[in-house]
Amino acid sequence: MSSIFDTEEETGYFPARDVDYQMPVLLSRQDFYDKFGDDYGDGQHLTELGPTQRGKSRMGKELLKRVISPDRKMLVLCGKPPGRERTWDKEAAEELNLIHLEQWPPNPYQRIRGRDHNGWLLQPKLKMQDPDEDEAILLANFKPAIMADHASRKKTITVVDEGHQVHVDLKLKKHCEASLMRGAPDDSMWTFVQRGRFVSYLCYDAPEHILIFRDDDRANQQRYSEIGGVDSRYLSSIVRRLRTERVRSGPTSTATISQAVYFRRSGSEIYIIDT
């Protein structure tokens, strides 16, 4: 088997034209978090792909810790009701120095408080009686929030969790594409996607950073061909062999998380990130 790497194996670099099925270098999560924090730049988009409860939001939160600040604020769009969202809750807002909001825009007092914070966690209060009514509530808050970040002249990161809900259910694909196509060098968009079939192709084509978790769905794997700079067959082979692990996700519940393959477009850099 020929090597996929141009130089020493530890570098993690490989020629994008080469089709090889050996596994890339394995990094611990802590080493990857530290490396990502050092490498990340303004205006860089990121996409995470994988089924529910694979660990996308958890890893995203850890990466954001390394790159946000009062000078590079983040906005999380969380469409789950309180109590069902175990990653983006009030404790997470406190941990990341965010202001928790139930509606957009922030009121004047919240804006003053926000000057010294790292951004906003937007989680509209849903009535949980009529799905159409709840979607209308999310749309009324998410649409102006996305466009506010896009229009801002400050450094921002808009976190879309979850991509299918925002692109398809709320029909905000075009609004997200505005940032993905024309956001650089200030407006970054991070998109976490469970099912990729109907989300914008720009979630695959535009990001500098892509993380893919274990996913055996062939329809989702077919979209890897839209990721430039790496052979989709190679990515599919890696993803099918990522290790999974059962972990406790709540007092009485468990989840199956997985390793992730990380690909950075510039330099064709690829690693496996351990659980």
Side-chain angles (χ1 to χ4, degrees), residues 205-220:
D205 183 65
E208 171 71 4
H209 310 274
I210 293 181
L211 286 143
I212 309 176
F213 295 75
R214 173 69 180 264
D215 190 346
D216 298 320
D217 189 311
R218 292 286 184 175
N220 289 339

Side-chain angles (χ1 to χ4, degrees), residues 47-228:
T47 293
E48 292 188 359
L49 305 167
T52 184
Q53 294 192 330
R54 280 292 195 264
K56 298 187 300 297
S57 297
R58 184 182 71 165
M59 180 175 285
K61 185 177 77 169
E62 291 299 322
L63 294 177
L64 285 160
K65 282 183 186 178
R66 275 73 180 175
V67 301
I68 58 174
S69 72
D71 295 322
R72 186 196 279 156
K73 294 185 185 295
M74 65 178 283
L75 165 66
V76 183
L77 306 178
C78 181
K80 285 186 179 180
R84 295 187 181 177
E85 174 54 60
R86 295 190 176 92
T87 301
W88 303 116
D89 53 17
K90 291 184 178 180
E91 287 74 20
E94 183 176 347
E95 181 182 358
L96 274 67
N97 192 30
L98 308 176
I99 294 181
H100 185 272
L101 301 176
E102 292 187 348
Q103 64 181 16
W104 189 270
N107 62 42
Y109 172 69
Q110 291 167 332
R111 286 195 180 277
I112 293 172
R113 285 185 58 216
R115 292 173 183 170
D116 297 325
H117 285 66
N118 295 332
W120 319 95
L121 171 52
L122 178 58
Q123 189 176 36
K125 190 173 183 178
L126 305 179
K127 297 183 179 180
M128 303 296 289
Q129 296 177 348
D130 182 345
D132 292 333
E133 186 177 8
D134 285 344
E135 283 191 358
I137 293 172
L138 293 175
L139 178 62
N141 285 276
F142 285 2
K143 181 178 178 179
I146 292 170
M147 296 313 298
D149 260 14
H150 183 57
S152 175
R153 295 186 179 182
K154 298 178 180 179
K155 310 298 183 184
T156 61
I157 299 175
T158 308
V159 181
V160 177
D161 190 1
E162 197 275 324
H164 186 277
Q165 180 189 47
V166 174
H167 285 212
V168 181
D169 297 341
L170 302 183
K171 298 179 173 60
L172 292 174
K173 182 189 294 187
K174 182 182 295 186
H175 300 77
C176 293
E177 287 179 339
S179 294
L180 290 167
M181 286 191 293
R182 299 179 292 275
D186 300 320
D187 178 23
S188 305
M189 180 158 284
W190 292 26
T191 313
F192 305 160
V193 181
Q194 292 182 20
R195 186 163 181 80
R197 181 175 295 181
F198 301 111
V199 301
S200 173
Y201 78 96
L202 290 170
C203 291
Y204 297 80
D205 183 65
E208 171 71 4
H209 310 274
I210 293 181
L211 286 143
I212 309 176
F213 295 75
R214 173 69 180 264
D215 190 346
D216 298 320
D217 189 311
R218 292 286 184 175
N220 289 339
Q221 293 177 16
Q222 288 175 357
R223 297 212 65 179
Y224 299 166
S225 62
E226 298 172 41
I227 301 172

